[in-house]
Every structure is written in C-alpha cells, then in structure tokens.
Amino acid sequence: MARLPESLPDDVWTVVCDFTRQPALSLVCRHLWTLLQKRHHKLHLRGDSLPRWVEWCQEQVRTAELTVQRAGGGHTLATLRHCTALHTLNLDLHNNHVGDAGAEALATLKNSPA
C-alpha cells in the first residue's frame, strides 16, 4: 500500500495545490504543511500587518484574496510587488482612503515580476 504524501513527488503536490487553489491540502500532514502552507491565502489584514505578511510568504504565495483595513498610503500597498510568485491577487480595499499614492502603488503591481 502506498503512503501519501511520500508516494508522489513534491512538484506533483504543488501542481495539485495550484490547480485547486485551496490551502486545505497543506493540512494533510507535516510534509505538505511545509511544502504548501504559503501558496494560497484568504486573509483579513490591517494595513500595518501587510508588509510582515509579504516578508513571510513573498517567494511562495501563488494566489491571495486579501481584505485590507486601514491600508494607509502607497508605501504599504507597494510591498505587494515583492511577492515574486504571485499569480492572482484579489484585493478588497473598501472603506479605505487609498489616495493618489495608493493608486500609483496598485498600478505598479501590473509590472511586478510575477
């Protein structure tokens, strides 16, 4: 009898996780937690927490659905450009006063590495 996840290579688990875009697969075992925990997120954050979140997962996050409260100016939103593996971003900024600097920071995201 095959044992999961050892019976499949890591790249297969990564593809399955990216296809489903669900973080639940990372909860199966410690190995998959280590491999997949930072790939797909659905979070509510305060603006001052956003840079820490970006620093924590910047090279691994693939999809993010973020509701940001008190986003502040453009500097906070500009940190999202450091998420080099980011493929899909859904950003909810309702009740924020983003202003011109925030709008410019969001515009620069389309030219980010990912």
Side-chain angles (χ1 to χ4, degrees), residues 68-74 77 93-103:
V68 182
Q69 299 169 344
R70 296 189 297 268
L77 295 173
L93 295 171
H94 75 280
N95 294 329
N96 280 282
H97 301 287
V98 176
D100 292 341

Side-chain angles (χ1 to χ4, degrees):
M1 174 177 232
R3 291 185 48 188
L4 296 177
E6 295 87 6
S7 61
L8 292 175
D10 288 351
D11 59 338
V12 172
W13 287 113
T14 303
V15 168
V16 169
C17 185
D18 288 348
F19 179 75
T20 62
R21 293 186 180 179
Q22 295 295 319
L25 190 57
S26 68
L27 303 176
V28 171
C29 67
R30 184 177 303 265
H31 175 74
L32 291 181
W33 172 255
T34 304
L35 180 66
L36 304 173
Q37 69 171 326
K38 298 179 182 180
R39 293 193 70 82
H40 305 284
H41 293 266
K42 184 175 183 177
L43 300 170
H44 293 271
L45 298 168
R46 287 192 340 252
D48 59 350
S49 300
L50 188 61
R52 283 188 303 246
W53 177 79
V54 168
E55 183 179 334
W56 176 72
C57 66
Q58 66 186 1
E59 295 176 0
Q60 296 179 17
V61 67
R62 188 84 172 127
T63 63
E65 187 173 327
L66 304 176
T67 300
V68 182
Q69 299 169 344
R70 296 189 297 268
H75 178 69
T76 300
L77 295 173
T79 61
L80 289 167
R81 75 179 182 279
H82 297 295
C83 294
T84 56
L86 189 62
H87 180 268
T88 304
L89 173 65
N90 292 321
L91 192 58
D92 183 351
L93 295 171
H94 75 280
N95 294 329
N96 280 282
H97 301 287
V98 176
D100 292 341
E104 287 178 23
L106 291 172
T108 63
L109 289 178
K110 71 177 186 167
N111 298 324
S112 65

